[in-house]
């Protein structure tokens, strides 16, 4: 087990893991981009922007020195917004060593290239082998992890030994980690669910009930699975923590930024208005564009994603989203068990 971990990114998730892992006895280095934020965290042991009520243990080494952070551990976890991952990967690439393992904590698909986060890392971190790159996903709100509430995650890497190594590194008494070698499936599940959470939030904002939300979640799962299978993922992955598990918590929880954003849109607010008041990134907004692009590329029907895209970027009314989905032509319910291209 690696007892030393470097976390690149001091947002809510990076901060939460730093706090939790340090309390569990790991040697943790937390890198933040802004020097002023680092100075405040070193002085007050509080993150001034994210999870400000949580104390950062004195054992966590908080730094803005990229080289110092990279040299502190052979296990790097990158916890930055998905659309910023490539720029950070470019900066840390010269600092990789042959034994470095890199784990992405970012959930999303890059807009311009439609690459998953592990694919972005593989393209930029040419100094290490692709099998040394993995992801850590699952139903895990930062607020609860920081408070040491029971949480489960999935460590995914191209080989089982590497995934098990990541599992051991992050496993604690309150953080249970499972192994999965289906990296594509884990990443698609953990990314597409943010789009579906926006849809669920829109239903909440409009005032639709539990029946509508259950329909959006279930049929959303079907289209998420179809996309993943078309990309080479294993169907069973979407029945696990990175699929239905992460989807449920993101669509239901008060902590979910994506569900909250959708709810605000459902009440009539504009996307610009909502995002201007949010300190944290709602990954589902940009991921909606990427997932829609993947659906077009792989010729997979994703009506819920398409509807969310029209509301976010084409000025469709949220009420019309559900009405349109409800009045589509009659279908068989085979999206969860048969062809990845079946309609939902």
């Amino acid at each position: 087990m690696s007892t030393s971990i470097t976390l690149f990114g001091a947002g809510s998730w990076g901060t939460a893991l730093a706090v939790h892992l340090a309390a569990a006895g790991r040697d943790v280095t937390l890198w933040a981009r802004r020097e002023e934020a680092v100075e405040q965290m070193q002085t007050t042991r509080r993150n001034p922007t994210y999870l400000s009520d949580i104390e950062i243990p004195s054992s966590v080494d908080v730094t803005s020195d990229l080289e110092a952070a990279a040299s502190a551990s052979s296990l790097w976890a990158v916890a930055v917004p998905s659309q910023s991952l490539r720029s950070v990967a470019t900066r840390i690439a010269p600092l990789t060593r042959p034994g470095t393992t890199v784990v992405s904590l970012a959930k999303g698909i890059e807009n311009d290239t439609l690459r998953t986060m592990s694919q972005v890392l593989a393209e930029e971190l040419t100094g290490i082998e692709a099998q040394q790159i993995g992801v850590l996903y699952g139903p895990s709100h930062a607020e609860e992890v920081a408070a040491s509430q029971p949480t489960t995650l999935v460590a995914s890497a191209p080989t089982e030994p590497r995934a098990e190594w990541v599992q051991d590194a992050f496993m604690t008494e309150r953080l249970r980690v499972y192994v999965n070698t289906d990296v594509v499936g884990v990443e698609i599940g953990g990314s597409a669910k943010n789009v579906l959470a926006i849809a669920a939030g829109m239903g909440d904002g409009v005032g639709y009930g539990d029946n509508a939300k259950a329909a959006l979640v279930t049929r959303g799962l079907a289209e998420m699975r179809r996309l993943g299978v078309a990309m080479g993922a294993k169907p069973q992955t979407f029945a696990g923590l990175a699929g239905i598990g992460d989807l449920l918590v993101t669509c239901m929880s008060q902590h979910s930024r994506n569900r909250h954003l959708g709810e605000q849109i459902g009440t009539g607010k504009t996307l610009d208005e909502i995002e201007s008041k949010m300190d944290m990134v709602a990954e589902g907004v940009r991921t909606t564009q990427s997932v829609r692009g993947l659906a077009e590329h792989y010729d997979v029907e994703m009506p819920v994603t398409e509807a969310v895209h029209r509301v976010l970027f084409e000025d469709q009314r949220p009420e019309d989203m559900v009405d349109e989905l409800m009045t589509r032509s009659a279908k068989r319910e085979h999206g969860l068990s048969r062809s990845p291209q079946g309609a939902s």
Side-chain angles (χ1 to χ4, degrees):
M1 179 186 72
S2 174
T3 58
S4 298
I5 299 173
T6 293
L7 289 156
F8 290 99
S12 59
W13 191 212
T15 301
L17 274 178
V19 170
H20 182 89
L21 293 172
R26 309 295 199 273
D27 295 326
V28 178
T29 299
L30 179 63
W31 175 83
R33 178 178 54 84
R34 295 185 299 113
E35 290 187 9
E36 61 271 23
V38 168
E39 291 174 359
Q40 289 190 55
M41 283 187 274
Q42 290 173 337
T43 302
T44 67
R45 308 311 297 182
R46 294 284 195 281
N47 188 322
T49 307
Y50 307 101
L51 304 178
S52 57
D53 58 333
I54 299 294
E55 182 178 357
I56 301 172
S58 58
S59 60
V60 176
D61 182 12
V62 185
T63 181
S64 60
D65 186 328
L66 201 66
E67 188 170 350
S71 63
S73 173
S74 60
L75 174 58
W76 300 353
V78 187
V80 300
S82 60
Q83 305 307 317
S84 302
L85 182 70
R86 189 177 293 275
S87 63
V88 173
T90 300
R91 295 182 63 188
I92 64 177
L95 305 174
T96 57
R97 303 179 298 276
T100 305
T101 294
V102 183
V103 179
S104 172
L105 306 178
K107 297 177 180 179
I109 309 294
E110 192 173 49
N111 281 159
D112 294 338
T113 66
L114 302 184
R115 298 285 195 272
T116 67
M117 298 297 95
S118 68
Q119 290 170 339
V120 170
L121 289 172
E123 288 180 354
E124 296 297 331
L125 305 182
T126 55
I128 60 175
E129 297 180 7
Q131 69 175 14
Q132 294 170 244
I133 296 171
V135 299
L136 190 69
Y137 280 16
S140 50
H141 286 303
E143 296 84 353
E144 296 183 4
V145 171
S148 291
Q149 295 188 13
T151 301
T152 53
L153 295 170
V154 177
S156 187
T159 66
E160 193 160 305
R162 184 66 55 173
E164 289 175 344
W165 192 82
V166 175
Q167 175 190 48
D168 289 343
F170 285 92
M171 179 93 84
T172 73
E173 291 183 356
R174 291 285 177 165
L175 196 62
R176 183 168 179 80
V177 183
Y178 291 82
V179 162
N180 189 327
T181 57
D182 180 16
V183 180
V184 171
V186 169
E187 289 189 280
I188 292 302
S191 301
K193 58 91 182 183
N194 284 330
V195 181
L196 303 173
I198 293 176
M202 287 179 186
D204 290 338
V206 169
Y208 293 134
D210 295 336
N211 294 346
K213 180 175 282 190
L216 286 169
V217 170
T218 306
R219 299 317 305 165
L221 174 63
E223 68 180 48
M224 180 170 76
R225 174 191 177 277
R226 285 200 302 274
L227 176 62
V229 171
M231 295 175 65
K234 298 176 181 177
Q236 58 266 35
T237 296
F238 299 93
L241 291 170
I244 187 64
D246 209 354
L247 177 62
L248 282 174
V249 76
T250 310
C251 289
M252 306 294 179
S253 175
Q254 62 178 336
H255 298 307
S256 171
R257 298 188 292 274
N258 293 286
R259 193 210 62 80
H260 171 75
L261 182 141
E263 183 178 28
Q264 295 300 299
I265 288 176
T267 63
K269 295 179 181 177
T270 67
L271 179 59
D272 288 343
E273 180 182 0
I274 299 164
E275 289 191 316
S276 68
K277 297 179 180 179
M278 294 182 69
D279 292 327
M280 296 179 285
V281 175
E283 291 277 17
V285 175
R286 308 303 164 222
T287 303
T288 297
Q289 296 171 304
S290 300
V291 170
R292 182 173 181 259
L294 286 173
E296 291 177 348
H297 178 76
Y298 287 96
D299 193 24
V300 174
E301 188 177 9
M302 300 188 72
V304 178
T305 298
E306 184 64 35
V308 172
H309 189 276
R310 284 198 289 271
V311 174
L312 292 179
F313 303 109
E314 301 173 29
D315 296 323
Q316 185 179 37
R317 295 170 62 245
E319 298 90 336
D320 295 338
M321 177 191 76
V322 175
D323 292 342
E324 184 175 312
L325 291 170
M326 290 296 291
T327 57
R328 296 173 68 245
S329 61
K331 308 288 182 182
R332 293 180 180 273
E333 190 187 27
H334 55 68
L336 289 176
S337 60
R338 293 178 63 86
S339 166
Q341 305 217 358
S344 75

